[in-house]
Amino acid sequence: MHVLVTGAAGMIGRKLADRLARDGALGGTAITMLTLTDIVEPPVPSGFSGSVRRVTTDLAAPGVAASLVSTRPELIFHVAGVVSAEAEMDLEKGYRANLDGTRALLDAIRCVGEAYRPKVVFTSSCAVFGAPFPETIDDDFHLTPLTSYGTQKAMCELMLADYSRRGFLDGVGLRLPAVCVRPGPPNKAASGFFSAIIREPLAGRETTLPVSEAVLHTHASPRATVGFLIHAAGLSREALGPRINITMPGVCCTVGEQIEALRRVAGDAAVARIRRAPDPLVETIVAGWPHRFDAARARALGFVAESSFDEIVRIHVEDDLGGRIPD
């Protein structure tokens, strides 16, 4: 099997490529080739016995998507895109990366011809939903995004569903909650503070909290997120039905509850490294996001997330800190 991963230099893309390389197979079929692409060079995953092709390019540029699918990868994980606050601050960049790149990819697949119908797993976002919200967002809630990022993701969901309906590809879109705890340097996501208030104190660094501790949100770890992608790749068209975009499960908690989970795992000294610094832009963006999801359909289809935020903190320690909290 040939697998293509877009956005392979990003955090989720890297962890996904590592998981694919480590497993070496999907659904009992051996992975013989990995094509990894991003606007910066993706790292080579270790321990993979097959071929690895790395392509450093802009997916939205003319001809790039056609070149990537010319070798007919059977499975495509479309993870590429820019994050929420960046898409809000730079309208043109957000639409180019999130919408134009996706359409270029889907059209390139369509133009290969009827004999080619790959599985496409797309990372969407719960930002496709917009206020006013009920207490819990169920699987039938309407898409009325209140940010450019959410709008771009909603448009891509509709395109993915339409191209799947017309038989050009076999798509599934995953509406991800906040992915937390993200390792590495901070990115430009408005949700970045959810990770920073855990990651930075655990590393012995101070960080800022731009919103109230009462802010409520739903989270899944990078490990669970990669698990969502792998699981989605194995879902049949019959299991999915016509509604191919699915809200993923996660742990719903307040920022204050996140901080208390950090305290239980790492103690008072870690919590003391969080400094309150309200940011009106971040507060406005976060206020337009949904908070709690039922995700009954995803759970019925076999998607699994963590059961507590303590577990999410411990996964970060295990996966990204070598199993121990630095002194």
Side-chain angles (χ1 to χ4, degrees), residues 19-101:
R19 168 74 184 272
L20 294 171
R22 183 172 67 249
D23 291 354
L26 276 171
T29 301
I31 301 171
T32 56
M33 182 174 183
L34 283 174
T35 296
L36 309 176
T37 184
D38 209 324
I39 55 172
V40 297
E41 186 175 51
V44 177
S46 60
F48 182 57
S49 59
S51 301
V52 178
R53 176 190 177 210
R54 294 184 294 166
V55 183
T56 306
T57 190
D58 179 357
L59 185 62
V64 167
S67 175
L68 289 170
V69 303
S70 63
T71 53
R72 300 194 175 197
E74 293 93 341
L75 173 61
I76 299 172
F77 291 102
H78 182 35
V79 187
V82 300
V83 291
S84 51
E86 189 172 10
E88 194 69 17
M89 291 185 292
D90 191 332
L91 184 71
E92 183 175 348
K93 183 177 183 179
Y95 272 91
R96 177 178 176 84
N98 295 332
L99 178 61
D100 297 348

